Amino acid sequence: MIVTRFAPSPNGSLHLGHAYSAIVGHDLAAAAGGRFLLRIEDIDGPRSLAPLAAEFRADLAWLGVRFEEVTPQSSRLARYAAAAGHLRGEGLLYPCTCTRAEIAAAAQRWGPEGPVYPGTCRTRSHNPARPAAWRLDVSAALARTGPLIWEDALRGAQAADPAALGDVVLVRKDAPASYHLAATLDDAADEVTLVTRGRDLFAATHVHRLLQALLGLPVPRWHHHALLMAADSGKLAKRRGSPSLAERRARGEDGPALADAIRKGSFPAGITLASS
Ligand code: GLU
Ligand code: ZN
């Protein structure tokens, strides 16, 4: 049984890029008689959950994309804390009290997600008076697991290279998990077999594969689809003048017709699928 998912964060309305992502996930599952899940990634707090989650459900229904909704992150905080506690017990996490500005100033290289944390706090004694995030000691973790491989449906076998992102945060200063820890645990709990998401998260998968090995989680396959871009090759976002799905819905656009056009690769003017 193939199980895919769409996992939007309720911090803004969905746009065409999200519609594309949901349709890719839905269609891959549907073609194989599988299940397509909607999971609300509200680790930032349930503050915006109710209205935006309702909007997301209505957007998908409007497009004609059928889904099963699974537990949102805000209901799984204890599970994240337990996994973090396990990794801490294994000596694989260390507290980091650096601020964003300190990290930007200390970084020696730029990774796929911005300045790469240079490990400043790995050997520094911890001042418990300062709020701390907990970071994964990636080289210690890799020494534990040995080399890892993962499979992308479009790009084939990948040698996991979690070091590219540096020692990522697993427990945030303000939340019991980071995106990396929460999404990895959730995909396992939801029994996702094919993680469908945009290519912007390709590098994150190296870290997720490492977490699966450390936590003894099942290893799914991944399908990182190309991203929709504005014609000026900027990232597709509302500020570029692309109306949200909710706005399109409110002004009476035909949802299933839009979904079909997206399936055929015929996007609204000014929007293209990135080639790399
Ligand atoms: N919640 C993430 C987002 O809004 C997606 C995470 C994922 O698909 O793994 O972009
Ligand atoms: Zn630090």
Side-chain angles (χ1 to χ4, degrees):
M1 164 82 83
I2 173 170
V3 182
T4 65
R5 78 335 182 254
F6 174 56
S9 301
N11 48 25
S13 290
L14 302 183
H15 55 72
L16 276 179
H18 293 105
Y20 180 73
S21 196
I23 288 169
V24 167
H26 169 273
D27 288 5
L28 284 167
R35 299 165 60 208
F36 170 66
L37 312 180
L38 169 67
R39 182 177 69 232
I40 306 293
E41 300 222 307
D42 58 344
I43 191 72
D44 290 328
R47 211 163 16 107
S48 59
L49 173 64
L52 274 170
E55 182 180 306
F56 295 175
R57 288 179 206 114
D59 289 340
L60 293 181
W62 169 69
L63 288 167
V65 169
R66 300 176 65 119
F67 59 89
E68 271 173 66
E69 186 165 355
V70 293
T71 316
Q73 290 178 330
S74 54
S75 308
R76 284 185 167 154
L77 304 186
R79 187 188 282 259
Y80 308 149
H86 170 75
L87 294 174
R88 204 175 296 157
E90 296 281 306
L92 295 174
L93 304 189
Y94 61 88
C96 167
T97 53
C98 297
T99 62
R100 231 176 247 275
E102 283 168 343
I103 294 168
Q108 285 137 16
R109 63 191 174 93
W110 196 265
E113 292 182 352
V116 174
Y117 181 70
T120 320
C121 294
R122 199 187 303 126
T123 52
R124 182 151 88 175
S125 66
H126 177 214
N127 173 359
R130 289 184 72 185
W134 289 77
R135 291 181 177 272
L136 179 64
D137 185 335
V138 170
S139 56
L142 276 173
R144 206 66 75 79
T145 64
L148 300 166
I149 301 283
W150 57 274
E151 173 86 12
D152 182 80
L154 299 176
R155 294 193 168 176
Q158 306 289 320
D161 178 23
L165 292 185
D167 287 350
V168 288
V169 169
L170 293 191
V171 179
R172 287 164 31 169
K173 284 179 187 169
D174 61 346
S178 68
Y179 156 67
H180 296 299
L181 181 60
T184 302
L185 288 166
D186 288 350
D187 283 330
D190 296 333
E191 301 180 343
V192 172
T193 64
L194 182 64
V195 175
T196 44
R197 61 183 172 207
R199 215 165 268 173
D200 51 337
L201 290 166
F202 197 91
T205 299
H206 295 305
V207 174
H208 301 180
R209 180 68 189 85
L210 177 59
L211 291 175
Q212 286 155 0
L214 294 172
L215 295 168
L217 302 174
V219 182
R221 295 171 72 236
W222 283 263
H223 178 114
H224 294 97
H225 60 73
L227 299 179
L228 285 193
M229 306 293 280
D232 58 4
S233 84
K235 207 174 164 171
L236 194 65
K238 219 172 159 190
R239 68 194 139 79
R240 301 260 176 181
S242 173
S244 68
L245 300 184
E247 284 163 346
R248 290 175 184 277
R249 182 159 52 84
R251 65 193 192 197
E253 275 188 42
D254 184 336
L258 176 64
D260 276 346
I262 289 174
R263 287 188 172 94
K264 290 182 182 124
S266 102
F267 303 107
I271 293 171
T272 57
L273 207 49
S275 53
S276 59

